[in-house]
Amino acid sequence: VKEYADLIDSCDMGPAEWRLIANDIFDNYERYDGFLVIMGTDTMAYSASALSFMLENLAKTVVFTGSQIPFCRTFSDARRNLLFSMSLACTLDIPEVCLFFDDKLFRASRCRKADSGNFDAFSSPNFQPLATVGLTVEVNTSLLLPQPKGRFRVHLDMDTKIMVVKLVPSFDTTAILRLASNPEREAKALILELYGTGNAPRADRTFVEAMEAAKAS
C-alpha cells in the first residue's frame, strides 16, 4: 500500500498526479499481479482514462475505485467497492485500466461520472461493462482486449494546451471562429462536443468557416 504524502481533492488531480501514479505502476510492475488506485470520484473517469493511454502494452489489471459516501459513515459504499476492486484486480485477466463502481467494472476510456447523488454513479454510454458482480462475477469476454505482445511502456509527455467546447442550440459560433482564426492562440487542439454521433450544424456558415480555419492552421 502506498499513500501519497499530500492528499488532495480529486478536483485538483491533473497530469502531474497522473504521471506519479503511472511511474509507481511502472516501478512496481513486476512485483504485483494487479494494481488498485483509490481516489475521489469527481475526476476519477478522467484520471483512469488518462492512465489507459499512458500505460502501453499493459498486461495486468489496473482498477480505479472510490466511494460516494466516506468510509467512516455507516452506509458507505467504500468497503464494498474497495474489497471487490481489490479482488478483481488480482484475479481477472483483463489487461487494461478499468473503473469499478457499484458492482460494475468499466473500461476506463469509455466511462464517465453520470450521477452525484446515487451509488450507481458511473455509466458507460454505448459500451457494456467488462464485468458485473453479483452472486458470481460475470465477465463479458467478447469485449476484452487480447494480451499485449510488446514491452510494457509508460508515456509521460502530455500536451495540455487543449480546449473543450460543448455546442448547444443558439451557441455563438463566432467565438469558435475567433479562437480558430487567432494566430497567437495558445490552444493546439479544439475538442467539440456535438450532437448525437457527432452531428454539427451545416447551415451556420460561421461554424463551417471556423472548422475550415482550424483545419488550415
Side-chain angles (χ1 to χ4, degrees):
V1 177
K2 180 169 184 177
E3 181 177 332
Y4 296 123
D6 297 323
L7 298 181
I8 62 174
D9 188 278
S10 68
C11 293
D12 293 318
M13 289 278 286
E17 290 72 29
W18 300 341
R19 293 188 190 99
L20 184 61
I21 296 171
N23 269 325
D24 281 337
I25 292 175
F26 180 80
D27 292 339
N28 294 279
Y29 189 71
E30 300 299 333
R31 298 178 59 192
Y32 300 102
D33 295 328
F35 298 89
L36 174 60
V37 180
I38 305 170
M39 62 170 290
T41 61
D42 285 342
T43 61
M44 185 187 298
Y46 292 99
S47 300
S49 182
L51 264 290
S52 72
F53 292 100
M54 296 171 70
L55 305 178
E56 181 183 359
N57 292 325
L58 178 66
K60 301 182 180 182
T61 307
V62 176
V63 180
F64 277 72
T65 195
S67 65
Q68 290 288 76
I69 300 177
F71 197 99
C72 59
R73 300 287 181 84
T74 304
F75 297 105
S76 174
D77 54 331
R79 182 183 300 274
R80 184 177 180 86
N81 287 341
L82 175 61
L83 292 178
F84 277 126
S85 295
M86 191 180 305
S87 175
L88 296 177
C90 296
T91 59
L92 292 184
D93 185 20
I94 299 182
E96 60 179 291
V97 181
C98 309
L99 189 153
F100 181 83
F101 222 86
D102 194 41
D103 298 341
K104 292 179 285 293
L105 185 72
F106 300 106
R107 175 163 291 163
S109 59
R110 298 298 296 267
C111 71
R112 65 185 182 185
K113 188 173 183 181
D115 194 334
S116 297
N118 289 293
F119 290 140
D120 187 17
F122 289 85
S123 66
S124 180
N126 304 315
F127 199 83
Q128 294 295 314
L130 299 177
T132 304
V133 175
L135 294 178
T136 60
V137 178
E138 299 292 336
V139 179
N140 196 338
T141 55
S142 65
L143 299 178
L144 301 186
L145 299 176
Q147 279 288 341
K149 297 181 179 179
R151 179 175 59 88
F152 176 58
R153 301 175 55 195
V154 175
H155 298 276
L156 300 176
D157 294 332
M158 289 176 284
D159 197 327
T160 59
K161 295 182 178 181
I162 63 173
M163 180 171 290
V164 181
V165 176
K166 183 178 180 64
L167 201 66
V168 297
S170 75
F171 185 90
D172 183 8
T173 51
T174 56
I176 301 179
L177 179 59
R178 287 195 298 269
L179 178 65
S181 303
N182 183 4
E184 299 180 357
R185 66 183 184 278
E186 290 294 324
K188 293 184 178 180
L190 176 62
I191 300 174
L192 298 177
E193 292 188 25
L194 303 175
Y195 311 122
T197 57
N199 299 315
R202 298 182 180 181
D204 188 339
R205 290 305 306 169
T206 304
F207 179 81
V208 176
E209 290 176 15
M211 295 303 97
E212 291 174 347
K215 184 177 180 180
S217 62

